[in-house]
Amino acid sequence: MALPAAGEEIAVLHTNLGIIKLRFLEDKAPKHVAAFKKLVTDGYYDGIHFHRVIPGFMIQGGCPNTKPGASGPAGTGGPGYTIPAEFNDVKHERGILSAARTADPNSAGSQFFLMVKYSPHLDRQYSAYGEVFEGMDVVDAIVNLPRDRSDRPLPANPAIIEKATLETYGATE
C-alpha cells in the first residue's frame, strides 16, 4: 500500500477499536471518492457500525440502519441515492476500500467494504476507490470479532465508527 502524498486529503475512521486511515484513488473512481468525502463531511458515518465481518474476506459498513434508533434491517440502508459503477483495474487485495452494492452494478450508495484478503472474483465487478494505509491491525481486529450466523458482530462486541473525518496528510503526521 502506498502512502498518500503530502497535502493529499485522507479519511480517518475513528472506531471504538482504533483508527483506520484511508487514501483515495480519485483517478480510478472519482464519483465514489466524492460521494464518500461528502458523507464524511456531513457526519453521515458517525455512529455507524460495521455490520458484516467475514474472516478471510472483508468487513462491511456504511449502513445508516445500524445507528442507534434507526429502523430497517442492517445492510439494507443507504443515503437515498446511488452512484454509477466505476469498475477499474484495482485488484481487490488486502486493504482495498470498495463500494458495496446489490446485484445491480449501479446501486452503490453509502455502504463500503475493506478487504482483509485478496478476492479476485471482485475485480472489475465492484468499484474500488481507496485503500487502508494505516490501521490494518484495526481492520483485522474487526474481522475477527465474534459474529452470528449472518456474519454480524454480536451486540456485546460491536465495531463502531465513532467519528469519520477528512484530514490533510502530512499536516499532523
Side-chain angles (χ1 to χ4, degrees):
M1 288 170 226
L3 289 176
E8 191 174 326
E9 192 169 46
I10 63 167
V12 181
L13 305 180
H14 303 264
T15 79
N16 61 317
L17 298 173
I19 292 175
I20 301 168
K21 294 185 179 184
L22 306 166
R23 69 179 284 267
F24 296 109
L25 304 173
E26 294 192 56
D27 60 324
K28 302 292 184 179
K31 292 175 185 162
H32 282 79
V33 171
F36 190 90
K37 286 181 176 183
K38 181 176 183 339
L39 292 171
V40 168
T41 300
D42 292 348
Y44 183 90
Y45 290 119
D46 300 352
I48 282 182
H49 294 220
F50 284 95
H51 64 274
R52 192 168 172 228
V53 298
I54 303 175
F57 184 36
M58 60 88 209
I59 64 173
Q60 184 173 334
C63 178
N65 296 348
T66 64
K67 285 187 176 188
S71 61
T76 63
Y81 57 84
T82 58
I83 307 159
E86 294 179 294
F87 301 152
N88 54 57
D89 61 354
V90 175
K91 294 183 184 299
H92 280 77
E93 297 175 329
R94 180 173 167 77
I96 290 298
L97 165 66
S98 195
R101 61 172 176 80
T102 67
D104 176 356
N106 297 307
S107 63
S110 59
Q111 293 191 44
F112 62 90
F113 56 95
L114 297 170
M115 302 302 302
V116 295
K117 186 176 180 186
Y118 180 40
S119 297
H121 69 281
L122 301 180
D123 294 349
R124 297 188 186 272
Q125 303 296 314
Y126 287 79
S127 301
Y129 62 97
E131 66 181 339
V132 176
F133 71 91
E134 188 177 310
M136 275 307 295
D137 58 326
V138 178
V139 175
D140 289 336
I142 293 169
V143 81
N144 288 306
L145 288 171
R147 58 194 167 100
D148 66 17
R149 290 184 199 166
S150 297
D151 297 315
R152 300 189 193 296
L154 297 177
N157 297 301
I160 305 165
I161 300 171
E162 295 172 335
K163 181 86 176 152
T165 60
L166 294 176
E167 297 179 9
T168 301
Y169 184 72
T172 59
E173 299 294 317

